[in-house]
Amino acid sequence: ASGLVGSLEVPEAAQRSLIGGSGLGAWLFLHRSRPDVEPLSPENTLWILNGPLAGTGFPGSSRFTVCARSPLTGLWGEAAVGGNFGPVLRQAGWDGIELAGAAPAPAILVIDGEKAELRDGSAGAPKRKRLRRVRATIIRLEPAMRAAASMG
């Protein structure tokens, strides 16, 4: 909600034992999520995390994991996702993204190497458009963008 973008350091021992993706997401959930947070509230943190092979070209390495407290169970929830977003995120130098809070209006998180910023996404998110068209609009508005993932 504040629009702040920063980095998060994960202890090396956790990185080595959990590798990435789902394991790292579960560790973050246990260490950074409060048990009383409602799944659909702005306080529920969402993580988008690459596995160790994302962006390497190895078969199946385009997968990444999206994790948060599940609205279905109120506990851990995750989804394994494919496409070019994970590899492009890794090529930009990022292992994952932690999102918290709620934007007052549609927003676009733009990552360019070590720099990340939230931008106004109102023009790219007209009501009732299909997600594919929203992504195409965002990429048209941001010509240098190589991948887009839409949610919400």
Side-chain angles (χ1 to χ4, degrees):
S2 68
L4 295 177
V5 177
S7 62
L8 168 68
E9 292 296 323
V10 175
E12 187 174 339
Q15 292 178 34
R16 290 186 182 277
S17 65
L18 302 169
I19 302 176
S22 296
L24 180 56
W27 186 89
L28 289 166
F29 181 77
L30 288 173
H31 289 87
R32 295 186 54 84
S33 182
R34 294 189 343 251
D36 62 333
V37 170
E38 290 294 322
L40 298 177
S41 73
E43 291 80 28
N44 188 17
T45 304
L46 178 83
W47 293 279
I48 303 170
L49 303 162
N50 279 328
L53 299 177
T56 64
F58 190 80
S61 65
S62 66
R63 313 286 303 165
F64 60 98
T65 304
V66 179
C67 319
R69 184 175 303 278
S70 168
L72 180 63
T73 65
L75 303 171
W76 169 250
E78 69 175 86
V81 186
N84 67 342
F85 185 79
V88 171
L89 184 65
R90 172 62 52 77
Q91 290 164 4
W94 294 66
D95 293 324
I97 301 169
E98 179 182 75
L99 300 170
I108 300 171
L109 173 64
V110 176
I111 298 173
D112 185 8
E114 292 183 12
K115 181 181 173 191
E117 66 178 316
L118 288 172
R119 296 185 187 165
D120 178 21
S122 301
K127 291 183 180 179
R128 303 182 200 275
K129 276 197 173 182
R130 295 179 180 244
L131 291 180
R132 184 175 297 144
R133 290 179 62 199
V134 170
R135 285 192 300 268
T137 302
I138 290 169
I139 289 174
R140 186 174 35 61
L141 293 172
E142 299 286 341
M145 195 172 297
R146 294 180 40 210
S150 52
M151 61 192 77

